[in-house]
Amino acid sequence: MLLVIVGLGSVFVSSYGSGVARAGTHFRESGASTYVIRANEMVDSQRCVNLKGVGSVQAAGALREGKDIYFAAMPSRAVSTFEATPDFWRLLSANTTGAVFLNQPGVWITDTLAQTLGVRPGEEVVLLDGQKLSIAGIFAYPDDGRNRDLGYAVVMPVAVVKDFSQCLIETWPASPEDASLLLSSLKINQSTGAGDEIPTPQQLNTSLGRAFNAANSWDTLLRLAVGLSAIAGFVIGFVWIFSRRLVLSSNLHCGIDRLTLLLISLAETSIVLFFSLITWLPFGWFAAAFGAAPDALVSFGAGLRTFLAGSGGFVFGVVLGINRVKESHLFRYFKNR
C-alpha cells in the first residue's frame, strides 16, 4: 500500500518536475525569456552589458546592424551582419539547442548558414573580396515565432564602444517585470523631444506566452504532494497497526510492556520502509531523468522528499496506532474480530 499510494505519487512528482524542466528549457531556447528594446543609435552598450546580474537577468548584450557581406561560395547572395558586444554569445547560447562556441577570435554564424557554407567552429571561410573570417561559434535560430533578425546572419563581436541599436536581456526565471530594465540602457540625446515616442521592451518570442507559468504550478503541486503523501502515509501506518489490535492487545496482556511492543513495531516498520525505498529509487530516478531532462537531480529530490514525507507520516501513524491499542479493550477486540 505504501508503494502503490505514496510511491506512485512520488514518481508522479518526479515525472512532473522532469516535464517542467523540459518545458522550461524549451521556453528559454525559443527566446520567450529574452526581451529586446530597439532604438536606433540610442542604446548605450555599457549600460546594456551592465544589466547582467540585475534582478533575474542572466545575460545581456547590445546589437547593431552592419554591412552586408558576400561569401566566395555564394557570391550572388548578400548575408546580413550584426555587430555585438563580446558577451552576446551567452544570449545566443541561452536561446538555442546545441550551440557551439570556441574561446577564440572570430564570428558567430547560424547553423543554416554553416550548413550552406560547409564549415564548423574553428575553421575559416573566404569572402568574395578575398578576406577570411574565422568561425568561432555556431548557433541555431529556428523559425519558431521569434524575431527573425538573426535567422540567416553573421554576428561579429566588437568592443563595447559607441552606440548600438538594440539591447537584449535573458531573464530566468522568466520575469516580464524585469524587461523594464531595458529602458535604463537608452541614451536620451539632444534630438529627442518631449513628444517623441519612447521605445518599449518587447518579448523576442511571444508564441509561448509572456510568463513561464509551469514553475508556479510546480511549486503548488510539490507542496500539495508532500502534504497528501504525509497524510496517506499516516493513514496506512495507523490502519496497519490498528488492524492487528487483537494480537497487539494480547501481547500487552501477556506481559510485554508498551515500549517493547513499540520497538518491535518500529523494527517491522523499518523493514517496510527500507524495501519500499529501494524499490522506489530506480522508478523515481527514471521518472526524473526521462527524456534527458535537465536538473534531473532536482526532480528526483522532489520525488524523494515526497516519499520521505509519506514515510514520516507512516512512522507517526504506527506510533499513534500503538498508543491507541489498549489491553483493557482485549475482550472487545476479541468479540468484534
Side-chain angles (χ1 to χ4, degrees):
M1 291 298 294
L2 195 68
L3 274 174
V4 171
I5 298 177
V6 175
L8 285 181
S10 302
V11 167
F12 173 76
V13 169
S14 294
S15 177
Y16 191 88
S18 173
V20 169
R22 290 195 301 270
T25 300
H26 176 63
F27 192 87
R28 298 184 72 180
E29 291 178 347
S30 66
S33 62
T34 300
Y35 297 88
V36 57
I37 192 167
R38 295 178 175 85
N40 190 30
E41 296 184 355
M42 288 177 57
V43 172
D44 186 315
S45 57
Q46 190 61 57
R47 293 183 192 174
C48 178
V49 170
N50 289 341
L51 290 176
K52 179 185 176 183
V54 179
S56 62
V57 178
Q58 302 296 316
L63 196 69
R64 66 185 174 208
E65 292 187 26
K67 296 181 180 179
D68 291 348
I69 59 175
Y70 293 85
F71 290 99
M74 44 183 197
S76 61
R77 180 169 182 177
V79 177
S80 301
T81 65
F82 289 86
E83 295 179 342
T85 51
D87 273 355
F88 194 80
W89 68 268
R90 297 183 184 275
L91 277 162
L92 295 176
S93 61
N95 287 276
T96 185
T97 304
V100 179
F101 294 97
L102 303 180
N103 187 22
Q104 66 179 41
V107 301
W108 312 316
I109 63 176
T110 60
D111 55 351
T112 53
L113 181 57
Q115 185 176 7
T116 302
L117 297 173
V119 294
R120 294 179 295 180
E123 298 180 348
E124 291 184 340
V125 61
V126 181
L127 300 181
L128 187 60
D129 59 5
Q131 297 184 38
K132 294 182 179 181
L133 289 180
S134 177
I135 307 301
I138 294 177
F139 61 95
Y141 209 81
D143 186 10
D144 54 3
R146 73 184 76 191
N147 180 276
R148 293 294 298 162
D149 287 348
L150 301 177
Y152 197 80
V154 175
V155 180
M156 300 179 175
V158 296
V160 185
V161 294
K162 297 183 179 180
D163 298 331
F164 284 66
S165 299
Q166 300 180 35
C167 179
L168 293 87
I169 59 173
E170 200 267 332
T171 65
W172 194 255
S175 176
E177 293 77 15
D178 283 348
S180 60
L181 293 171
L182 287 168
L183 294 171
S184 64
S185 68
L186 297 181
K187 295 177 65 176
I188 307 300
N189 54 39
Q190 295 179 353
S191 62
T192 304
D196 291 345
E197 183 179 354
I198 298 177
T200 57
Q202 298 176 337
Q203 191 177 9
L204 189 64
N205 187 348
T206 60
S207 63
L208 299 179
R210 295 187 68 249
F212 184 63
N213 296 319
N216 297 328
S217 63
W218 163 245
D219 292 336
T220 302
L221 173 73
L222 183 56
R223 288 193 296 268
L224 183 63
V226 168
L228 290 178
S229 180
I231 294 173
F234 169 78
V235 172
I236 295 171
F238 184 84
V239 171
W240 178 48
I241 292 298
F242 207 66
S243 64
R244 301 160 57 202
R245 58 191 179 277
L246 177 58
V247 174
L248 297 174
S249 180
S250 299
N251 291 337
L252 291 173
H253 185 69
C254 291
I256 297 178
D257 62 274
R258 187 173 295 275
L259 178 59
T260 301
L261 190 64
L262 176 61
L263 292 176
I264 293 172
S265 298
L266 289 178
E268 296 172 342
T269 300
S270 65
I271 296 174
V272 172
L273 292 178
F274 174 75
F275 283 101
S276 297
L277 180 61
I278 63 173
T279 304
W280 179 85
L281 286 175
F283 292 98
W285 177 251
F286 175 80
F290 180 75
D295 300 324
L297 281 175
V298 176
S299 301
F300 176 75
L304 182 61
R305 176 182 168 188
T306 304
F307 187 87
L308 292 179
S311 300
F314 183 75
V315 173
F316 184 65
V318 168
V319 173
L320 185 63
I322 290 293
N323 289 328
R324 294 293 297 173
V325 174
K326 305 294 183 182
E327 179 188 353
S328 58
H329 295 166
L330 175 60
F331 179 74
R332 190 176 71 186
Y333 294 155
F334 181 77
K335 184 177 67 173
N336 296 330
R337 72 189 188 282

